[in-house]
């Protein structure tokens, strides 16, 4: 924690790009402003609208300043002593009544590695593996596919090596122009200006599309597919490559040596595609076959081609298979294991990568060591001094589904599941009616905190120290300025206090660096890092030993699978669980906006960010608008089988006919009142990206159009 008033170097609290920024404190508590950090390692001083406005929420009038306890349905201010007493007695009561799996714990990718390390340790000391975080909502399927097929659940490459070496960027189901703006402007767009080509695969024409509309280049193609048809589209690409290689083996469509030496499963892929009909599949995708063929050739003929994958791929009930098909494409063309290649998820929140890395997931301990791997678990138990359950716990959506059946208490740090989980109306009902105890620690009274029995006021990103891990595995230090509100506490200190009161020992740490020292002891991929070594540049994991510099790209010689081979596996098309019918004839898909962030807890309170999009809206194609009689700007009711929201219609050709598109940022009008909570069988990620929907016209704007309940 800085003790003077010089600018403090830290990391933007919003997206996973991990841009460095500086915070300058004024004379009064809470008087602070953003200052550029010119030689920040990731962004070199550039910043998007969110990073520049991040300090606006630190001294917001809605900040929680004292603990709250609910009595007779109303909150009253409480002392920390009262709050801790209530938490300890309720957690002990629930364990006594229902066993340790009667509680669930939610870590947060808005908080730091040290804090997430502590909440997963707290859950496991309590006796349960039921700890999870919002990666379940964004990239659980990506992490699953990458970990099982290549070995590590993270970007194979780093932004810097990609910018320097990639000739082709294949961006599927991601909108970096809106959601990772500095990655888009500083890395992808810059590379295109220098000669690279972008293939964008997305149902929506968006800021990414427009950012590559560069005069005198045609090095951008947009395959605007129907939502939920990513597997058939990639199968057309794969079969095009296989057939061309058969006809013209001298052209190098496939990398036969790479397939032979470094992979297994190629025969399975060929069998899967043997009777695959490319023409029919292209029609199902709604994309001309010739366009897909051209994209396939562009990727296959590149010296170095890199795939970027986003939530348009991962947030499906077939999310693991979607990403597996991207892995198939990279492996058969030998595009893994060197600069400018790989399969690279663009991670959402600024520490969603780190939250997974440090073990805040129900199936893995720090460093992705499986809880049911006896040797790995015992090595962690040796350091912790207690036994860890050897069965994976429920994921966060499963925990939510189990409320009232097997889960009766929840400890939520910095997440807002009422808004972030699918089928939000049902989620809210379960939280409201069936939960016996809910503890929330946060900076604002979120929609979830409103339902809590006890609310703990935490400090913001700008007020504390710790580390976060960005989308390309770079672990970076965050540094805090002085606390704005005296009676708030750091998440880390709160967890230490709860742990010590519950268990007596194991949670007595002298600040974040002390926690980091224990983390690196149990987390092999971070073992070589120290706060001193991280400095201002950070280090990419894996960094196994103190001398290691960290790896810019993975798998140069072998994959981190059991036999060292990359796994190719053919996959077949699976329709979304809900497809259009007479009652709900439209496909609803969802995504985020540049100016807002996830559940909007911070961005809706930022004057700069909420100015451009003060309320939710739905994109409707002009032909659909004409059919329904909708004029641009009309308010409509958007309905699914799970709920309805009132939103303004934006009539635009950005979206395909028959598809509607809206956002999750605004509470009463959130897309998640409508989304489907069906899960991918393995990764348990919900199908946010495709649901059946209907529009009702002739409605008035809702009183709470801004989204604040
Ligand atoms: Fe922050 Fe992401 Fe914008 Fe960088 S690109 S300033 S990390 S929101």
């Amino acid at each position: 924690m800085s003790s003077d008033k010089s600018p403090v170097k830290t990391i933007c609290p919003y997206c996973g790009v991990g841009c460095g920024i500086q915070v300058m404190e004024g004379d009064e508590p809470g008087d602070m402003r953003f200052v550029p950090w010119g030689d920040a390692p990731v962004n070199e001083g550039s910043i998007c609208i969110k990073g520049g406005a991040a300090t606006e929420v630190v001294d917001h009038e809605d900040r929680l300043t004292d603990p709250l306890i609910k009595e007779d349905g109303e909150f009253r201010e409480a002392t920390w002593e009262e709050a801790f007493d209530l938490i300890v007695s309720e957690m002990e009561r629930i364990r006594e009544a229902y066993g340790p799996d009667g509680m669930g714990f939610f870590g947060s990718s808005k908080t730091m590695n040290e804090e997430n390390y502590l909440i997963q340790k707290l859950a496991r000391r309590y006796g349960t593996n039921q700890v999870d975080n919002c990666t379940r909502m964004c990239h659980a399927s990506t992490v699953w596919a990458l970990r099982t097929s290549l070995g590590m659940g993270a970007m194979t490459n780093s932004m810097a090596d990609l910018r320097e070496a990639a000739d082709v960027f294949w961006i599927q189901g991601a909108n970096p122009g809106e959601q990772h703006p500095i990655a888009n402007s500083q890395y992808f767009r810059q590379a295109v200006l220098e000669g690279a080509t972008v293939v964008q695969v997305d149902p929506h024409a968006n800021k990414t599309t427009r950012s590559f509309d560069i005069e005198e280049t045609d090095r951008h193609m947009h395959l605007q597919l129907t939502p939920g048809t990513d597997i058939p589209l990639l199968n057309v690409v794969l079969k095009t490559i296989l057939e061309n290689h058969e006809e013209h083996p001298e052209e190098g469509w496939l990398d036969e040596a790479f397939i032979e030496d470094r992979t297994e499963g190629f025969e399975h892929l060929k069998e899967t595609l043997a009777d695959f009909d490319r023409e029919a599949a292209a029609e199902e995708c709604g994309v001309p076959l010739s366009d897909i063929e051209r994209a396939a050739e562009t990727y296959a003929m590149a010296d170095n081609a890199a795939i970027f994958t986003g939530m348009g791929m991962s947030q499906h009930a077939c999310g693991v298979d979607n990403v597996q098909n991207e892995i198939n494409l990279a492996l058969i063309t030998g595009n893994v294991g060197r600069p400018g290649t790989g399969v690279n998820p663009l991670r959402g929140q600024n520490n969603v990568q780190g939250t997974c890395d440090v073990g805040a997931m129900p199936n893995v301990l720090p460093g992705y060591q499986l809880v049911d791997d006896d040797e790995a678990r015992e090595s962690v138990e040796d350091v912790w001094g207690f036994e860890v359950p050897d069965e994976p716990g429920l994921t966060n959506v499963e925990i939510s589904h189990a409320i009232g059946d097997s889960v009766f208490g929840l400890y939520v740090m910095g997440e807002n599941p009422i808004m972030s989980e699918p089928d939000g109306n049902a989620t809210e009902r379960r939280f409201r009616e069936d939960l016996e105890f809910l503890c929330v620690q946060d900076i604002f009274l979120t929609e979830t905190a409103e339902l809590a029995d006890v609310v703990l006021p935490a400090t913001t990103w700008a007020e504390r120290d710790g580390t976060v891990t960005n989308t390309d595995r770079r672990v970076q230090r965050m540094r805090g300025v002085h606390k704005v509100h005296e009676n708030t506490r750091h998440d880390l200190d709160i967890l230490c206090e709860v742990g010590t009161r519950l268990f007596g020992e194991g949670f007595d740490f002298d600040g974040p660096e002390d926690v980091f020292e224990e983390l690196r002891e149990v987390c092999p991929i971070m073992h070589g890092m120290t706060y001193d070594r991280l400095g201002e540049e950070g280090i990419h994991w894996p960094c196994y030993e103190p001398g290691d510099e960290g790896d810019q790209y993975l798998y140069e010689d072998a994959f981190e699978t059991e036999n060292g081979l990359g796994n190719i596996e053919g996959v077949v098309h699976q329709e979304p669980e809900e497809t259009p019918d007479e009652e709900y004839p439209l496909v609803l898909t969802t995504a985020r906006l540049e100016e807002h962030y996830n559940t909007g807890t911070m961005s809706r309170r930022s004057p700069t960010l909420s100015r451009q999009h003060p309320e939710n809206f739905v994109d409707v194609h002009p032909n659909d608008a004409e059919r329904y009689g909708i004029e641009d700007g009309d308010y409509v009711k958007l309905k699914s089988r799970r709920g309805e929201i009132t939103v303004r219609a934006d009539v635009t050709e950005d979206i395909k006919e028959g598809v509607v598109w809206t956002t999750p940022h605004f509470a009463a009008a959130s897309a998640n009142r409508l989304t489907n909570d069906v899960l991918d069988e393995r990764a348990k990620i919900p199908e946010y990206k495709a649901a059946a929907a209907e529009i009702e016209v002739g409605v008035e704007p809702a009183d709470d159009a801004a989204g604040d309940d």
Side-chain angles (χ1 to χ4, degrees), residues 189 473 580:
R189 193 171 185 280
R473 299 172 278 105

Side-chain angles (χ1 to χ4, degrees), residues 12-19 46-52 179-183:
C12 170
Y14 285 109
C15 90
V17 175
C19 297
S46 301
I47 206 76
C48 80
I49 188 170
K50 283 198 288 288
Q179 290 151 12
H180 301 85
I182 296 300

Side-chain angles (χ1 to χ4, degrees), residues 590-606:
T590 67
R592 294 170 294 163
L593 298 168
E594 181 175 3
E595 298 80 6
H596 280 291
Y597 215 73
N598 294 347
T599 71
T601 303
M602 295 201 295
S603 60
R604 274 186 283 136
R605 289 181 169 90
S606 160

Side-chain angles (χ1 to χ4, degrees), residues 135 138-148 152-155 309-311 313-315 319-320 323-324 326-327 343-347 683 685:
T135 199
C138 59
H139 270 296
S141 43
T142 318
V143 170
W144 183 285
L146 289 171
R147 189 173 56 74
T148 52
M152 303 265 201
M155 262 175 82
T309 185
M311 296 196 290
M313 293 295 276
S314 58
Q315 290 179 330
V320 172
V323 179
Q324 178 61 48
E326 296 179 306
I327 293 170
V343 180
N344 301 286
L346 285 162
R347 304 303 306 264
I685 191 170

Side-chain angles (χ1 to χ4, degrees), residues 340-643:
T341 64
V343 180
N344 301 286
L346 285 162
R347 304 303 306 264
Q349 189 76 45
N350 78 332
N351 196 34
V352 68
Q353 183 65 53
T355 303
C356 302
D357 301 342
V358 303
M361 294 175 83
N363 61 332
V364 293
L365 294 161
Y368 301 98
Q369 302 174 90
L370 297 170
V371 294
D372 49 10
D373 175 336
D374 291 346
E375 201 180 321
R377 192 183 63 258
E378 282 160 19
S379 74
V380 176
E381 288 172 344
D382 284 348
V383 176
W384 285 353
F386 59 84
E387 281 188 17
V388 175
D390 60 4
E391 293 276 327
L394 298 178
T395 64
N396 55 7
V397 184
E398 289 177 317
I399 290 171
S400 171
H401 286 170
I403 288 174
D405 289 330
S406 63
V407 174
F408 299 90
L410 263 186
Y411 194 115
V412 177
M413 172 175 75
E415 294 223 343
N416 191 7
I418 293 295
M419 277 193 65
S420 59
E421 293 204 2
D423 194 2
N425 294 335
T427 305
E428 185 172 338
R429 256 193 316 275
R430 287 192 296 271
F431 270 65
R432 203 179 275 285
E433 294 170 12
D434 300 328
L435 208 48
E436 292 183 12
F437 175 65
L438 174 60
C439 169
V440 174
Q441 60 188 62
D442 213 311
I443 59 172
F444 295 118
L445 195 65
T446 62
E447 290 72 14
T448 303
E450 281 175 14
L451 306 182
D453 298 286
V454 56
V455 180
L456 307 175
T459 50
T460 65
W461 64 275
E463 298 163 274
R464 54 194 212 265
D465 297 349
T467 62
V468 289
T469 307
N470 81 345
T471 192
D472 67 3
R473 299 172 278 105
R474 188 193 290 257
V475 181
Q476 302 188 93
R477 288 184 62 182
M478 290 185 76
R479 298 167 182 84
V481 296
H482 293 92
K483 273 205 293 193
V484 175
H485 298 289
E486 206 40 50
N487 204 25
T488 55
R489 294 197 187 185
H490 303 314
D491 285 304
L492 184 133
D493 295 338
I494 298 171
L495 293 169
C496 286
E497 187 69 35
V498 170
T500 301
R501 284 174 183 242
L502 273 168
F503 311 118
E505 57 184 14
F507 291 87
D508 181 18
F509 291 97
D510 186 17
E513 186 171 3
D514 200 18
V515 177
F516 191 84
E517 284 298 305
E518 185 179 290
L519 162 62
R520 57 186 283 261
E521 208 180 329
V522 296
C523 184
I525 57 175
M526 296 166 75
H527 182 65
M529 299 176 187
T530 62
Y531 267 30
D532 275 353
R533 287 202 67 213
L534 290 176
E536 290 187 357
E537 291 289 310
I539 298 176
H540 298 268
W541 68 251
C543 174
Y544 294 112
E545 297 302 331
D548 287 356
E549 294 191 351
D551 288 349
Q552 295 278 325
Y553 62 94
L554 305 175
Y555 317 129
E556 184 166 10
D557 301 313
F559 292 99
E560 296 277 340
T561 50
E562 233 162 70
N563 59 8
L565 300 175
N567 176 44
I568 296 172
E569 190 181 325
V571 295
V572 295
H573 181 37
Q574 301 131 61
E575 285 196 327
E577 195 200 49
E578 274 190 359
T579 50
D581 57 18
E582 247 177 56
E583 206 182 348
Y584 293 95
L586 301 166
V587 178
L588 166 68
T589 192
T590 67
R592 294 170 294 163
L593 298 168
E594 181 175 3
E595 298 80 6
H596 280 291
Y597 215 73
N598 294 347
T599 71
T601 303
M602 295 201 295
S603 60
R604 274 186 283 136
R605 289 181 169 90
S606 160
T608 303
L609 298 180
S610 58
R611 197 169 298 133
Q612 187 157 352
H613 289 294
E615 59 177 331
N616 202 5
F617 61 94
V618 58
D619 277 4
V620 182
H621 189 273
N623 294 351
D624 291 321
E626 195 181 331
R627 215 156 32 84
Y628 281 97
I630 299 168
E631 297 287 332
D632 190 43
D634 281 357
Y635 282 83
V636 299
K637 240 179 212 160
L638 187 58
K639 307 198 286 194
S640 79
R641 289 189 170 82
R642 291 155 294 280

